[in-house]
Amino acid sequence: MKRYDAIVIGAGVGGLGAALLMASAGKRVALFEKRAWPGGRIGSSKRDGFTVDFGVHLISRGEKGPLIQLLDRCGVDHGIEFTKVRPIQSTGGENFKFPQDLKGRVPDKDFDAVIKMVTDVKGMSDEETHEFDSQTLEEFLDGYTTDPFVHACVSQIGFIYCCIPEYRLSAGEFARCLKWEAEAHASGYPSGGCIAILNAYMNGLEQYGVDTYFGTPVDKVVVEGGKAVGVLAGREEYRADMIVSNAGIQETVSDLVGAEHFDAAYVDYVKSLEISFVSIIARFALDTVISPEIKMLSGFSSVPVKEYNDKLMAGEVPEELNSFIVVPSSFDSSVAPEGKQLVMMTTAVPAGIKDEYCPAILEALIDLAETHFPGLREHALFVEKVFPSDAARIMGEDGAGIGIAQQAGQAGKDRPAIKTPVEGLYIVGAEAGGAGVGTELAANSAIEFFDTYVA
Ligand SMILES: Cc1cc2nc3c(=O)[nH]c(=O)nc-3n(C[C@H](O)[C@H](O)[C@H](O)COP(=O)(O)OP(=O)(O)OC[C@H]3O[C@@H](n4cnc5c(N)ncnc54)[C@H](O)[C@@H]3O)c2cc1C
């Protein structure tokens, strides 16, 4: 039976980060990943000369954020550079810059109120943001303005950060995401695509001698005398003092460990945690370059936010979809063959939406993309369409964009704890601890885990 200081389950950003931090501090670490490749929700694949990210990625704090800080801290040479970008917002077919283009579209008093809200948020200390953890963004914004167009616009910004609308998103988490992004002023797309980040983490694991087991799901966490002591994977048992799971808090508690090892209140609490919205994605590999000037677009509907989501759940396709379109090949020529283009697009829908509603939503998303990229469909060399049910098969959790949602009551000081009640068992990733946008939330969770329980 092999022995390690720590075993990490899952090679998403959270698991890779935790493994790297521990290994660079001299721990003997093993990392198990059920799939044949690393990255989880940030994974990439190669097809016909294209490097295709699983999702649509903007790294909020670029080289100043935790993804790169973690590599630097561990002494991993990465050479990753970011092309700075801010998504161009659009609504009703017109480009739109937040907040300045609100002027004239909403009454002056509401415009002034938004400017005050942004100024207030940017002026908050990290500590002060926690005062708003259990308030929704909608409630927080109502304190400034109730104008529905302002709400739709700010909700979409929060959505890009955390993949949930204003009536669920924690105002404290929104404030942290907005102020950290503004302070760093570095949001961008990584050179070489998201795979460059994964490669850097994988190089780091190799540099520090982490034993990696890909295509090897952990079937069970072994608990003895109330302490997590090892895992069962591929019919072998491996032992360690610390078991660090990046496999999702709900899956870890119910499937990998078993509810019988926790008290009923904790099991009920974990079951009650809600996931973020889920993604519908299309990836177009084109035989030519259409609209070379476009890099990143974020479209939002002016329909009031709740009404918009109620329509989706009722099987209606809103007239204008909330959308996020990224053209990785406009940032980095290496992700598409010369003269060709990669266009990725996504829209998010509430978890639990009926499968049969999703194809029409995806077609509406592609129609919307066609308005920016005329001839998109006819120039497609291949198209990959991902529905929530596909994403759920790949990622679990109904295909959630983030994982455990950063909603009021589940973010900041109310985030599920990294340390579980079972001694020696920890949860990392976008599921426990941490704060920030998507991949950075997961990296922050790994850093928080290491600094609190290992260093
Ligand atoms: C479409 C889409 C677009 C996104 N866009 C952005 C963006 O623009 N910017 C941004 O910062 N973030 C974005 N995100 C969010 C970001 O990708 C995630 O928040 C982040 O990658 C989550 O990382 P994680 O470590 O928590 O978990 P995951 O990435 O889910 O990794 C968990 C890993 O654990 C593995 N695993 C599970 N069970 C087991 C088991 N039993 N044994 C072994 N391994 C197991 C899984 O296979 C997986 O590899 C996006 C997500 C999606 C889906």
Side-chain angles (χ1 to χ4, degrees), residues 9-15 32-35 37 39-42 54-60 216-219 246-247 256 279 281 324 346 394-395 399-402 428-431 437-440 442:
I9 308 169
V13 172
F32 290 85
E33 167 55 51
K34 71 176 174 188
R35 289 189 288 166
W37 61 91
R41 289 168 167 83
I42 198 186
F54 175 80
V56 177
H57 289 292
L58 169 64
I59 307 300
S60 175
T216 312
V218 164
D219 300 316
N246 181 216
L256 298 184
S279 304
I281 306 169
F324 193 46
T346 183
I394 298 170
M395 312 186 295
I402 302 292
V428 293
E431 297 278 324
V437 178
T439 52
E440 297 186 343

